[in-house]
Amino acid sequence: MKLDRRKFIGSGGLLAGGACLLPLFNTCNSGKEGAESNYSGLGLKLSFEPYNLQLKHVFTIASFSRTTTPVMLVKIEWGGFVGYGEASMPPYLGESHETATKFLSGLRLNQFTDPFRLNEILSYVDRFADGNCAAKASVDIALHDLIGKIVNKPWFKIWGYNQEDTPITTFTIGIDKPNVVTEKVKEASPYKMLKVKIGRGNDEEMINTIRKVTDVPLCVDVNQGWKDRQEALDKIHWLKEQGVVFVEQPMDKYDLDTMAWLTQHSPLPTIADEGVQRLADVPKLKGAYSGINIKLMKCTGMREAHKMLNVARALGMKVMIGCMTETSCGLSAAAQLSPMVDWADLDGNLLISNDPFKGVTVKDGKVILPSRQGIGVSR
C-alpha cells in the first residue's frame, strides 16, 4: 500500500505535537494558572551574547578541520524565571554570530505574555525568516527551559520518559595521524562506544589504529565522503568485521537512489545526518536510510525534534540523537529525548575546554539526565 505522504505528515505532525503538548498541560495546568495570575501582562524578555567554544583537539572530518565553534547563548526571562538556550553554529552550516545577531535582534518576543503558548510562539519564530535553524533552536531551547522551571519539572518527565532508559553515548574520534588517534582513543577509555570520522581515504588506517587500542563497538561517520556505491558496500562489509554497528551518511545527501541501493544491500544500518534536517524530510528518507540522526541545531529545537522522533518511529526507522560542538546547555536539551532513541551521540560538550554550563553528564559511558527542572542546566 503506497503511503500518502501529505496525509501522513498531517497526522504525524498532529500526533507528535499532541504527544508534546498533552503531558505538559495535563500535568501543569495548576502551575500555569498560578503563574498567569501573578504575572499576567508581562511579555517574554529575550537577551543573547556571542561566545566561542574552544575545542580540546583539532576537529577533522572528511571535508574540513577547525579548532573553535561560534555559539550564541540565549536567555528568556518571564516573571522571575530564566530559561537558557544555545545556538551552535559550525561555519559549514552557514550561520554565524552576525546572522544570529540579526535574526534574534528582530524578534519581538515581548508581544507574548503567556510562555505556555509554545506552538504559537515558536511558529512565529520559525516564520520570522528563512533558515537560521540554530538561532531558532536557541529560542526553542530557552522557552522549553523556562516552561520546565515554571512547572518545576524536567522535560523528560513532562514527556513521560523514564530517566533510567537513557542509552550510552558515543565519543567522537576525528580524522588524524595514527599517533594522535591513539592518544584520543586512550582518553576515551571510559566510553563504551566510539564514533569514528572517516571518508578522507585513510579509512582502514583509522579503524586499524583504533583496534590496536580498544575492542569497544564502533560506529562510523563518513560525512558524504564515499563516491562509489560498490566500493562503499565493500567497505561496509569490512567494517562489520571490525565491530562497527552502523554507518552514518556514507554517500552524497542528494543521491537518494544510490543510498536506497546501498541500504538495501548493506549488512549494517545506514543513518542519515546531512541528509536529514527537519520534519518534512523524514518520510522522504524511508527506504533510502535505515534511520535518522536528529540534531536540535538543524531542526530548530526540541519541539520539532520530538515530532521527528515520533514520525521516524511510525515509519519503522531507527533514531539517533546527535549534536554539534555545543555547551552543556544544548546537550542537556537534546538529552531530554535520549530515553526514546536507539543511539546517542551526545559528546559535544566533552570536546570543549570552556563550557559555561553544568548539566547532562556521562557515567561509565551512559547518559545521565540531571533531575533539575527544565532542560536541567545551571550556569
Side-chain angles (χ1 to χ4, degrees):
M1 177 178 166
K2 187 174 180 181
L3 178 68
D4 186 327
R5 290 178 177 169
R6 286 177 297 177
K7 288 183 179 178
F8 180 84
I9 284 293
S11 60
L14 179 61
L15 173 64
C20 171
L21 293 174
L22 286 178
L24 173 63
F25 290 112
N26 287 344
T27 304
C28 310
N29 275 340
S30 60
K32 175 178 180 291
E33 291 165 0
E36 282 183 333
S37 64
N38 289 328
Y39 303 111
S40 60
L42 294 180
L44 301 176
K45 178 183 177 183
L46 173 68
S47 59
F48 51 91
E49 60 175 308
Y51 193 71
N52 282 302
L53 303 182
Q54 305 297 322
L55 278 66
K56 294 177 182 177
H57 298 284
V58 176
F59 188 70
T60 301
I61 66 171
S63 55
F64 63 85
S65 299
R66 56 187 168 87
T67 58
T68 63
T69 300
V71 300
M72 192 69 82
L73 305 180
V74 168
K75 289 194 301 184
I76 297 179
E77 301 173 71
W78 183 85
F81 296 95
V82 179
Y84 293 110
E86 170 186 7
S88 174
M89 301 169 290
Y92 71 96
L93 291 179
E95 294 186 67
S96 64
H97 285 149
E98 291 73 25
T99 63
T101 297
K102 181 179 179 180
F103 178 83
L104 295 170
S105 296
L107 293 177
R108 297 293 178 261
L109 293 191
N110 59 356
Q111 67 182 289
F112 299 102
T113 60
D114 181 359
F116 287 86
R117 294 169 72 170
L118 187 70
N119 281 329
E120 181 181 345
I121 298 167
L122 293 180
S123 294
Y124 157 76
V125 172
D126 197 15
R127 292 192 305 265
F128 186 75
D130 292 334
N132 294 282
C133 289
K136 292 173 181 178
S138 70
V139 177
D140 169 286
I141 293 168
L143 186 57
H144 279 80
D145 191 35
L146 179 72
I147 291 171
K149 287 174 176 174
I150 294 169
V151 302
N152 198 30
K153 297 286 184 183
W155 268 92
F156 69 84
K157 285 191 175 181
I158 293 172
W159 278 327
Y161 299 159
N162 186 344
Q163 188 176 16
E164 301 302 316
D165 289 341
T166 56
I168 62 170
T169 180
T170 61
F171 186 88
T172 301
I173 307 296
I175 299 171
D176 219 315
K177 296 177 181 178
N179 63 314
V180 178
V181 170
T182 297
E183 288 305 309
K184 289 179 179 179
V185 174
K186 289 179 179 178
E187 290 177 15
S189 60
Y191 299 90
K192 309 303 182 185
M193 187 174 182
L194 299 179
K195 178 175 178 176
V196 186
K197 296 287 187 176
I198 61 174
R200 268 200 172 182
N202 64 336
D203 300 350
E204 290 192 13
E205 179 185 70
M206 284 290 297
I207 300 301
N208 288 332
T209 299
I210 291 168
R211 280 293 176 241
K212 291 176 182 178
V213 183
T214 181
D215 61 357
V216 300
L218 307 176
C219 60
V220 296
D221 187 359
V222 190
N223 291 113
Q224 308 179 83
W226 294 343
K227 306 306 177 185
D228 180 83
R229 71 181 190 177
Q230 185 60 55
E231 184 180 358
L233 182 59
D234 292 341
K235 287 187 176 185
I236 292 174
H237 278 282
W238 180 80
L239 289 167
K240 183 181 180 183
E241 295 174 356
Q242 310 310 310
V244 171
V245 177
F246 65 84
V247 179
E248 190 176 345
Q249 201 61 56
M251 312 293 288
D252 189 311
K253 65 181 181 179
Y254 296 113
D255 194 351
L256 290 185
D257 289 339
T258 295
M259 271 308 313
W261 179 90
L262 186 61
T263 297
Q264 181 182 356
H265 292 86
S266 174
L268 296 176
T270 59
I271 306 299
D273 182 5
E274 288 90 341
V276 63
Q277 181 172 358
R278 301 198 58 177
L279 177 64
D281 299 324
V282 180
K284 303 172 188 176
L285 303 182
K286 172 66 173 175
Y289 296 88
S290 310
I292 60 170
N293 184 357
I294 300 172
K295 295 181 179 179
L296 302 193
M297 298 302 148
K298 293 197 302 181
C299 74
T300 72
M302 295 171 68
R303 180 182 71 145
E304 188 146 329
H306 191 228
K307 294 178 181 180
M308 290 173 72
L309 188 157
N310 286 329
V311 171
R313 288 300 192 208
L315 287 168
M317 300 179 76
K318 297 286 188 180
V319 177
M320 179 180 184
I321 187 74
C323 64
M324 308 298 182
T325 308
E326 302 169 16
T327 75
S328 291
C329 180
L331 263 293
S332 297
Q336 302 297 315
L337 291 161
S338 67
M340 296 299 290
V341 304
D342 298 288
W343 302 293
D345 178 32
L346 297 177
D347 65 344
N349 59 333
L350 305 175
L351 305 177
I352 63 174
S353 59
N354 59 336
D355 191 346
F357 292 94
K358 293 182 180 179
V360 65
T361 57
V362 176
K363 184 177 181 180
D364 295 327
K366 180 179 172 63
V367 175
I368 305 298
L369 287 168
S371 296
R372 300 185 194 97
Q373 65 270 37
I375 63 171
V377 295
S378 61
R379 189 175 183 188

